[in-house]
């Protein structure tokens, strides 16, 4: 009898171990602003997240600035951070996250015929070239952001340096129209959906775009720590498979009306606010296969080094792991 009892205990133990091993991996991902990031609505359409609840659980967490995402990632409060060319070098150099790896694309500024961020002046300002911003006030959404770096790059090309030749102030994107039209700044940066405001279009014009300033920009991509990736590779590939399926669903013109309705409900805005631009060439570029443009990213980082924003060269290819998203995309074929 004793051997059978021992065997039963051993079997129960093994079953218990299997149950623990089968627990879904908890994956929390940070996002900054929607709908540039689709994270808060990624799986709002039923049936897209085929592996969720099985190999992984997923939570989208709103963290409204890249530096805060870096802090959360370092503290183990999220597993995936949405970073960009302007924040990734700081995560590696300043936060000491040398094990950080880029795993998937989110949005790109200025790719092909797609949207690029606008830098606008009033039509009655008399400002016709970037050179004429000398002695003026310019507004960005945050010092050290990607658009701030694009502004610095363009004005640097025209012999103007920040703090020496012009003054930079900060203002949230939703307030940029008022900042410009009320004369608080001579130039503002504006992006979707604010750039399509009828009053702004009537009273202001685009002086240059981010693409004019620095070419194609890798605005946002997913990054995770290598140790977590190695330990949970299968679950991460499952998540990336589901996320690619979701992105492709959003980009499919056949689903556009339903997709707009999902986003409008999230942001508590009328659908009409999104109809003229989202998921068209008036929107940022989203890669169907989740592949980061490494050439553009390296150019962006090189420009940061040239402007003295970072203190050392950084080889982007050394921090990339696109094998996971490639495997995920292959499954969908």
């Amino acid at each position: 009898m004793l051997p059978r009892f021992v065997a039963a205990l051993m079997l129960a133990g093994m079953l218990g171990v299997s149950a623990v091993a089968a627990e879904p991996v908890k994956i929390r991902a940070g996002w900054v602003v929607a709908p540039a990031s689709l994270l808060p609505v990624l799986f709002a359409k039923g049936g897209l997240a085929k592996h969720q609840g099985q190999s992984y659980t997923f939570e989208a967490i709103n963290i409204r600035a890249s530096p805060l995402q870096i802090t959360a990632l370092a503290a183990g409060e999220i597993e995936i951070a949405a970073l960009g060319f302007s924040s990734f070098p700081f995560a590696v150099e300043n936060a000491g996250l040398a094990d950080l790896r880029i795993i998937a694309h989110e949005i790109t500024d200025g790719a092909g015929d797609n949207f690029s961020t606008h830098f606008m002046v009033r039509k009655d300002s008399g400002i016709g070239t970037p050179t004429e911003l000398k002695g003026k006030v310019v507004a960005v959404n945050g010092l050290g952001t990607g658009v701030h770096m694009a502004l610095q790059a363009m004005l640097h090309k025209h012999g103007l340096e920040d703090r020496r030749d012009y003054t930079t102030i900060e203002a949230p994107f939703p307030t940029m129209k008022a900042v410009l039209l009320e004369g608080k700044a001579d130039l503002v940066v504006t992006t979707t959906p604010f750039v399509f405001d009828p009053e702004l279009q009537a009273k202001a014009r685009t002086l240059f775009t981010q693409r004019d300033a620095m070419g194609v920009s890798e605005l946002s991509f997913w990054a995770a720590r290598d140790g977590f990736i190695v330990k949970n590779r299968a679950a991460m590939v499952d998540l990336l498979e589901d996320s690619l399926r979701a992105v492709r669903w959003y980009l499919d013109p056949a689903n556009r009306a339903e997709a707009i309705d999902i986003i409008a409900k999230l942001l508590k805005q009328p659908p009409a606010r999104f109809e003229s631009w989202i998921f068209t060439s008036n929107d940022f570029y989203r890669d169907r296969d989740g592949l980061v443009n490494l050439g553009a990213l390296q150019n962006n980082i090189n420009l940061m080094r040239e402007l003295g924003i970072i203190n050392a060269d950084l080889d982007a290819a050394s921090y990339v792991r696109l094998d996971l998203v490639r495997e995920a995309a292959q499954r969908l074929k």
Side-chain angles (χ1 to χ4, degrees):
M1 295 295 292
L2 184 60
R4 290 183 181 178
F5 177 71
V6 172
L9 286 177
M10 291 177 64
L11 178 60
M14 286 188 291
L15 288 173
V17 170
S18 298
V20 172
E23 279 292 310
V25 177
K26 183 178 182 180
I27 303 177
R28 298 162 295 180
W31 61 278
V32 178
V33 62
S37 173
L38 292 177
L39 270 172
V41 293
L42 194 60
F43 301 137
K45 172 67 176 177
L48 296 177
K50 297 185 182 299
H51 299 287
Q52 186 171 200
Q54 299 180 27
S55 60
Y56 72 89
T57 62
F58 182 75
E59 182 182 2
I61 299 176
N62 187 212
I63 303 174
R64 292 194 173 276
S66 294
L68 296 177
Q69 292 215 36
I70 295 170
T71 301
L73 196 63
E77 296 170 356
I78 57 174
E79 285 68 48
I80 295 175
L83 303 179
F85 77 88
S86 61
S87 54
F88 187 81
F90 293 120
V92 173
E93 288 189 354
N94 297 354
L97 298 179
D99 63 340
L100 201 56
R101 299 293 179 264
I102 297 168
I103 60 171
H105 159 94
E106 193 167 44
I107 55 171
T108 300
D109 180 293
D113 295 329
N114 280 77
F115 180 81
S116 182
T117 302
H118 290 228
F119 293 81
M120 304 185 75
V121 296
R122 295 186 308 278
K123 288 182 177 179
D124 62 2
S125 67
I127 298 172
T129 67
T131 305
E132 293 170 313
L133 289 169
K134 186 171 184 177
K136 305 295 186 181
V137 176
V138 299
V140 297
N141 67 310
L143 300 179
T145 59
V147 295
H148 183 210
M149 294 177 196
L151 174 64
Q152 288 178 282
M154 176 58 89
L155 298 192
H156 176 74
K157 291 178 185 178
H158 290 80
L160 304 183
E161 301 300 335
D162 203 1
R163 293 187 296 275
R164 188 192 73 185
D165 299 307
Y166 57 92
T167 301
T168 305
I169 63 172
E170 295 178 293
F173 279 125
T175 69
M176 286 294 182
K177 180 180 76 170
V179 168
L180 181 66
L181 299 186
E182 293 172 10
K184 297 175 182 176
D186 301 285
L187 174 140
V188 299
V189 58
T190 186
T191 186
T192 58
F194 313 107
V195 69
F196 301 117
D197 183 287
E199 184 183 14
L200 182 65
Q201 289 289 324
K203 297 182 179 180
R205 63 182 182 81
T206 300
L207 188 63
F208 59 89
T209 67
Q210 184 155 325
R211 177 169 43 216
D212 297 330
M214 57 184 298
V216 177
S217 307
E218 284 300 276
L219 281 192
S220 183
F221 42 76
W222 289 6
R225 305 190 74 170
D226 198 47
F228 181 83
I229 296 170
V230 171
K231 182 180 179 181
N232 303 290
R233 188 182 189 283
M236 291 289 278
V237 174
D238 285 348
L239 169 62
L240 290 170
E241 176 195 332
D242 288 349
S243 70
L244 289 183
R245 185 182 296 108
V247 168
R248 293 179 184 193
W249 184 87
Y250 276 100
L251 293 177
D252 187 339
N255 304 323
R256 191 162 183 266
E258 187 177 358
I260 288 174
D261 187 58
I262 289 172
I263 290 168
K265 286 177 179 176
L266 169 75
L267 299 177
K268 297 180 174 58
Q269 299 287 339
R273 186 171 183 183
F274 305 95
E275 288 172 355
S276 68
W277 63 275
I278 201 164
F279 307 130
T280 73
S281 60
N282 286 327
D283 196 0
F284 291 116
Y285 173 73
R286 305 175 195 270
D287 190 80
R288 288 171 50 85
D289 291 328
L291 294 176
V292 174
N293 185 333
L294 289 181
L297 177 58
Q298 189 62 61
N299 288 339
N300 300 157
I301 294 172
N302 292 345
L303 179 59
M304 292 176 66
R305 178 79 169 105
E306 179 186 331
L307 293 172
I309 296 168
I310 56 175
N311 299 319
D313 295 333
L314 189 146
D315 178 20
S318 301
Y319 298 91
V320 171
R321 281 205 59 172
L322 296 181
D323 56 301
L324 288 81
V325 78
R326 286 195 174 102
E327 182 177 332
Q330 187 62 37
R331 291 181 185 178
L332 297 179
K333 293 180 180 178

